């Protein structure tokens, strides 16, 4: 029996990671999103059983999201929504209740209280026995209890969590400092609340408790006290940074732990003399390897060696999967495969850890990016099976290439999603015209809308054909000389009335008239997909800005939105099957990269930080 599906909504990446781990210990399946808007979309797309909703988030907060979910909730369904908050005062609990929330959990989250919520609302007690310990009641700079607890889960996640927290600590510290200087009490309250929760979760208790005082001063709009408390936080930030630097090598050593050469040789001998194993390994339908408990390769089949460039079997012994394949994350830290921040989202890493920990077969879909420069990605289904031999725990890892399957699903869900929306609107408008419900003086306008909508459907069918041809390398661009500035203006005008722009605005920044030889339709599809992606990532009231200029024989087209891209998204944004928006959505960046780079000779890139996210499409004025 599969566990309940729990949606965790929190704008803090580290807290989402912790919630996923705790829910996994309780046997739950998990979806995570970082905003209220994304939570509403996830509930519409997935059969969610329970929601853990952070209250304080930028844009649509947890209270607004809960109210919207309750308004749209079908009759007879009562989806449990549990508040996550760092506050437990009566007024805070009352506000949760008024918004339609069913319960309240105080951060940092404890496994025992989370289990109690699942038992009460879903009748699910789970199978976990580990509870996060907060250590001493005295506020220490960095309590080793929570981090040690995560490591005891054997998820290999200690270094990842501490690395993510360290990066967020520096970023949010700077943002709070600027907000204090500007006396922006709302920003200080929001940022200090976020950092307080992350600090207490990771074990930075002294900093977390001090941030609670700063947060209270900001909520009370006491600017003088807020400045005093911020000033007093300086030494504590420095001590926390120092404690993390002292702790990181120890955590990295845990992730890097490998058996000695003598033990590795002994393990290889055990595997090699196992009756029939070599024959079974070669008979596997896809690339396969045998691993030890530290995820090191002991044996491999011919298909795996072909996948990694024809390396000899002996050259692979002792390496981990990502190191053998050339995953871009494997060489980014001294500890190697499994220790980089991106590894926390790797299905292969999770499958291996889960199979070894629970002694049961696990299967996950995996996306491995090969090389930082090429960006080539492998879409694989990885199955890991425990393989005890002579009393020693090993694991058999088998791969299946699912790139064709992914491609077909992606193209189909993108096309049918757009067609469903467009044809639904056309059908509704045509019905109103046929029934005479539209006044005579408005019928001409309605017919014009109908004409534009049907033209859009025809263009979408053409675009689907274009993508299908592009995927198999049969698309031939129609190159013509045109003005890139004019194309950018037309895209801006077209998306001003797009459904994604509701409660959001589009603006033109610097638009330079630049002659470029390109395919007009492909060019505007690339920019249009970036614009739609930016609008969907922009909170209500936000603005997306388009700009265009010439630089070194290239046309640089940019699309800027005010939101900062979460690490989990930035690691995978251009991958074919990645989406943050549920089935049938979120594929614009992948298709933009496919068309813009392969057929227009351009290059897509992005930057993201506190000032927002900017996607850049650089295309040569004259194709090579």
């Amino acid at each position: 029996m599969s566990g309940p599906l729990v949606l965790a909504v929190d704008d803090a990446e580290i807290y989402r990671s912790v919630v996923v781990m705790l829910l996994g210990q309780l046997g739950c399946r998990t979806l995570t999103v970082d905003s209220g808007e994304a939570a509403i979309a996830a509930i519409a797309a997935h059969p969610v059983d329970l929601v853990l909703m952070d209250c304080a988030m930028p844009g649509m907060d947890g209270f607004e999201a809960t109210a919207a979910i309750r308004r749209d909730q079908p009759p007879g369904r009562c989806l449990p929504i549990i508040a996550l908050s760092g506050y437990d005062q009566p007024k805070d609990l009352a506000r949760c209740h008024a918004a339609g929330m069913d319960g309240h959990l105080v951060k940092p989250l404890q496994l025992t209280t989370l289990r109690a919520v699942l038992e009460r609302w879903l009748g699910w007690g789970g199978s976990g026995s580990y509870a996060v310990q907060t250590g001493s009641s005295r506020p220490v700079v960095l309590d080793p209890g929570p981090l040690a607890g995560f490591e005891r889960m054997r998820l290999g996640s200690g270094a990842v969590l501490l690395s993510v927290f360290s990066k967020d600590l520096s970023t949010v510290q700077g943002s709070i400092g600027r907000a204090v200087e500007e006396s922006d009490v709302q920003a200080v309250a929001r940022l200090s609340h976020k950092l307080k929760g992350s600090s207490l979760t990771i074990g930075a208790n002294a900093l977390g408790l001090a941030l609670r005082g700063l947060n209270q001063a900001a909520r009370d709009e006491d600017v003088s006290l807020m400045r005093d408390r911020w000033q007093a936080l300086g030494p504590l930030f420095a001590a926390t940074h120092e404690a993390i630097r002292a702790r990181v090598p120890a955590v990295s050593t845990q992730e890097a732990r490998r058996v000695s050469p003598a033990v590795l040789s002994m393990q290889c001998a055990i595997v090699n003399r196992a009756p029939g194993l070599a024959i079974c390994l070669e008979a596997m339908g896809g690339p396969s390897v045998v691993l030890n408990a530290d995820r090191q390769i002991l044996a491999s089949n011919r298909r795996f060696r072909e996948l990694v460039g024809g390396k000899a079997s002996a050259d692979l012994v002792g390496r981990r999967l990502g190191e053998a394949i050339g995953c871009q994350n494997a060489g980014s830290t001294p500890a190697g495969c499994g220790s980089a921040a991106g590894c926390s989202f790797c299905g292969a890493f999770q499958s291996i850890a889960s199979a070894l920990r629970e002694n049961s077969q696990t299967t996950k879909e995996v996306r491995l990016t090969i090389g930082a420069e090429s960006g080539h990605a492998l879409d694989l289904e990885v199955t890991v099976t425990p393989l005890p031999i002579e009393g020693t725990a090993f694991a058999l890892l088998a791969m299946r290439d699912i790139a064709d399957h992914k491609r077909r699903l992606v193209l189909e869900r993108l096309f049918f999603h757009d067609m469903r929306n467009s044809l639904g609107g056309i059908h509704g408008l045509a019905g109103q015209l046929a029934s005479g419900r539209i006044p005579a003086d408005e019928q001409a306008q309605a017919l014009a809308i109908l004409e534009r909508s049907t033209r859009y459907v025809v263009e979408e069918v053409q675009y689907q054909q274009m993508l299908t041809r592009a995927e198999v390398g049969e698309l031939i661009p129609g190159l013509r000389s045109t003005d890139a500035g004019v194309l950018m203006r037309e895209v801006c005008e077209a998306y001003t009335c797009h459904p994604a722009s509701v409660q959001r605005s589009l603006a033109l920044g610097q638009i330079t008239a630049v002659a470029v030889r390109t395919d007009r339709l492909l060019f505007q599809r690339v920019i249009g997909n970036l614009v739609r992606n930016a609008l969907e990532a922009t909170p209500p009231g936000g603005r997306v800005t388009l700009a265009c200029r010439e630089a070194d024989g290239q046309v640089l087209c940019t699309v800027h939105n005010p939101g900062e891209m979460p690490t989990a998204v930035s690691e995978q944004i251009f991958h074919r099957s990645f989406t943050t928006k549920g089935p049938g959505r979120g594929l614009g960046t992948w298709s933009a990269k496919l068309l813009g780079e392969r057929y227009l000779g351009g290059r897509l890139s992005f930057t993201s930080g506190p000032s927002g996210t900017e996607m850049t499409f650089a295309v040569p004025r004259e194709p090579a």
Side-chain angles (χ1 to χ4, degrees):
M1 176 182 177
S2 60
L5 180 60
V6 178
L7 173 64
V9 188
D10 201 300
D11 63 312
E13 177 189 346
I14 187 170
Y15 211 80
R16 293 196 302 275
S17 300
V18 169
V19 171
V20 168
M21 292 177 192
L22 296 179
L23 287 170
Q25 288 292 296
L26 293 170
C28 297
R29 296 171 295 137
T30 313
L31 287 173
T32 64
V33 296
D34 62 0
S35 68
E37 296 91 342
I40 295 172
I43 290 170
H46 301 279
V48 174
D49 296 305
L50 184 139
V51 180
L52 298 176
M53 180 75 74
D54 184 29
C55 294
M57 295 181 289
M60 177 183 284
D61 63 22
F63 303 111
E64 296 169 323
T66 298
I69 293 167
R70 293 305 187 209
R71 284 195 302 270
D72 298 339
Q73 191 167 270
R77 187 188 183 198
C78 186
L79 175 65
I81 301 178
I82 309 300
L84 294 177
S85 174
Y87 308 115
D88 58 358
Q89 299 300 311
K91 64 178 181 180
D92 301 310
L93 301 180
R95 189 179 180 192
C96 294
H97 179 74
M101 296 177 175
D102 299 293
H104 181 274
L105 289 173
V106 179
K107 297 179 180 179
L109 198 58
Q110 304 289 319
L111 191 68
T112 52
T113 54
L114 183 57
R115 180 189 285 113
V117 164
L118 295 174
E119 288 177 343
R120 176 182 177 184
W121 292 101
L122 303 178
W124 180 266
S127 57
S129 59
Y130 170 75
V132 176
Q133 301 296 322
T134 57
S136 168
S137 60
R138 297 179 59 193
V140 296
V141 175
L142 187 60
D143 180 2
L147 192 61
F150 298 136
E151 291 169 355
R152 282 199 298 272
M153 290 181 185
R154 296 195 66 190
L155 294 173
S157 55
V160 173
L161 286 174
L162 201 58
S163 174
V164 170
F165 175 72
S166 179
K167 182 183 69 174
D168 287 348
L169 180 61
S170 299
T171 301
V172 179
Q173 180 183 355
S175 299
I176 295 176
R178 289 188 293 271
V180 170
E181 289 178 3
E182 298 169 2
S183 300
D184 187 345
V185 293
Q186 292 183 343
V188 173
R190 174 175 55 83
L191 292 167
S192 61
H193 173 77
K194 175 181 178 180
L195 187 56
K196 177 195 66 176
S198 299
S199 300
L200 294 174
T201 298
I202 206 68
N205 297 340
L207 181 62
L209 294 175
L211 285 166
R212 181 177 293 170
L214 175 67
N215 180 266
Q216 189 60 55
R219 294 179 77 198
D220 294 340
E221 299 186 358
D222 189 334
V223 175
S224 177
L225 180 60
M226 179 181 74
R227 290 180 180 275
D228 289 343
R229 289 182 173 175
W230 172 250
Q231 190 70 26
L233 270 166
L236 195 49
F237 271 110
T240 304
H241 282 295
E242 183 62 32
I244 291 173
R245 282 193 292 271
R247 178 64 179 160
V248 166
V251 178
S252 297
T253 300
Q254 170 72 14
E255 294 297 336
R257 183 187 62 199
R258 303 174 193 235
V259 298
S260 66
V263 173
L264 188 68
S265 177
M266 179 189 68
Q267 291 179 340
C268 287
I270 293 174
V271 169
N272 290 334
R273 64 174 176 256
L277 180 57
I279 296 174
C280 291
L281 199 59
E282 290 299 333
M284 301 290 288
S288 304
V289 293
V290 176
L291 307 171
N292 65 12
D294 290 299
R295 299 180 284 114
Q296 294 172 267
I297 295 174
L298 302 175
S300 58
N301 68 358
R302 175 179 55 82
R303 289 182 175 85
F304 184 82
R305 295 191 292 275
E306 291 173 350
L307 174 67
V308 299
K311 292 184 177 71
S313 179
D315 293 336
L316 297 173
V317 171
R319 299 191 189 189
R320 289 175 174 166
L321 182 67
E323 297 157 1
I325 290 180
C327 173
Q328 65 175 5
N329 288 321
S332 62
T333 67
C337 175
S339 62
C343 297
S344 61
F345 313 110
C346 174
F349 176 79
Q350 295 169 0
S351 291
I352 297 168
S354 178
L356 292 171
R357 182 180 67 251
E358 300 174 5
N359 194 36
S360 62
Q361 186 181 80
T362 62
T363 300
K364 286 185 179 291
E365 291 186 2
V366 178
R367 186 182 307 108
L368 295 176
T369 302
I370 310 304
E373 293 298 325
S374 70
H376 174 62
L378 297 175
D379 285 314
L380 305 167
E381 181 185 79
V382 172
T383 298
V384 184
T385 306
L387 186 67
I389 306 175
E390 298 182 16
T392 303
F394 300 109
L396 175 63
L397 183 148
M399 302 177 179
R400 183 171 70 89
D401 187 347
I402 56 173
D404 290 341
H405 172 67
K406 283 287 185 183
R407 179 174 60 246
R408 185 168 55 254
L409 289 180
V410 165
L411 292 174
E412 288 178 356
R413 76 189 193 198
L414 178 67
F415 177 67
F416 287 118
H417 173 264
D418 287 345
M419 285 299 95
R420 183 173 62 249
N421 288 346
S422 299
L423 293 174
I426 290 172
H427 179 266
L429 184 56
Q432 292 186 47
L433 282 168
S435 64
R437 290 197 295 269
I438 297 180
D441 59 343
E442 296 180 10
Q443 289 183 4
Q445 181 182 4
L447 287 170
I449 295 173
L450 198 60
E451 189 275 333
R452 286 199 301 272
S453 300
T454 53
R455 185 173 67 247
Y456 173 78
V457 168
V458 172
E459 291 176 353
E460 286 298 307
V461 172
Q462 293 173 338
Y463 183 46
Q464 173 69 6
Q465 293 174 326
M466 181 191 306
L467 276 179
T468 303
R469 293 199 301 271
E471 272 285 281
V472 296
E474 297 178 354
L475 179 63
I476 302 176
L479 302 180
R480 302 286 187 276
S481 182
T482 187
D483 187 333
V486 172
L487 299 183
M488 294 291 285
R489 292 180 187 276
E490 290 178 353
V491 172
C492 185
E493 292 173 2
Y495 275 87
T496 299
C497 299
H498 192 277
S501 66
V502 174
Q503 298 183 15
R504 296 156 180 84
S505 62
L506 278 168
L508 292 172
Q510 175 189 351
I511 298 292
T512 304
V514 185
V516 60
R517 183 172 172 80
T518 189
D519 184 301
R520 184 186 187 94
L521 178 59
L522 289 182
F523 184 98
Q524 291 191 318
R525 278 295 183 174
V526 170
I527 301 300
N529 284 337
L530 298 183
V531 169
R532 179 159 54 182
N533 184 76
L535 287 168
E536 291 175 341
T538 299
R543 172 177 293 181
V544 172
T545 304
L546 284 69
C548 172
R549 61 185 176 86
E550 180 186 8
D552 301 324
Q554 291 186 314
V555 180
L556 300 183
C557 304
T558 61
V559 179
H560 179 275
N561 74 77
E564 181 175 2
M565 195 180 297
T567 303
V569 177
S570 65
E571 292 278 345
Q572 311 173 76
I573 186 65
F574 288 126
H575 291 157
R576 177 191 295 119
S577 53
F578 176 70
T579 172
T580 62
K581 307 177 182 71
R585 301 180 63 205
L587 303 167
T589 50
W590 163 74
S591 58
K593 189 172 181 70
L594 170 68
L595 299 175
E597 295 191 353
R598 185 182 297 181
Y599 292 97
L600 297 183
R603 183 165 181 81
L604 259 73
S605 60
F606 71 91
T607 58
S608 187
S611 61
T613 297
E614 184 166 280
M615 307 291 294
T616 299
F617 178 46
V619 61
R621 295 184 61 186
E622 286 289 339

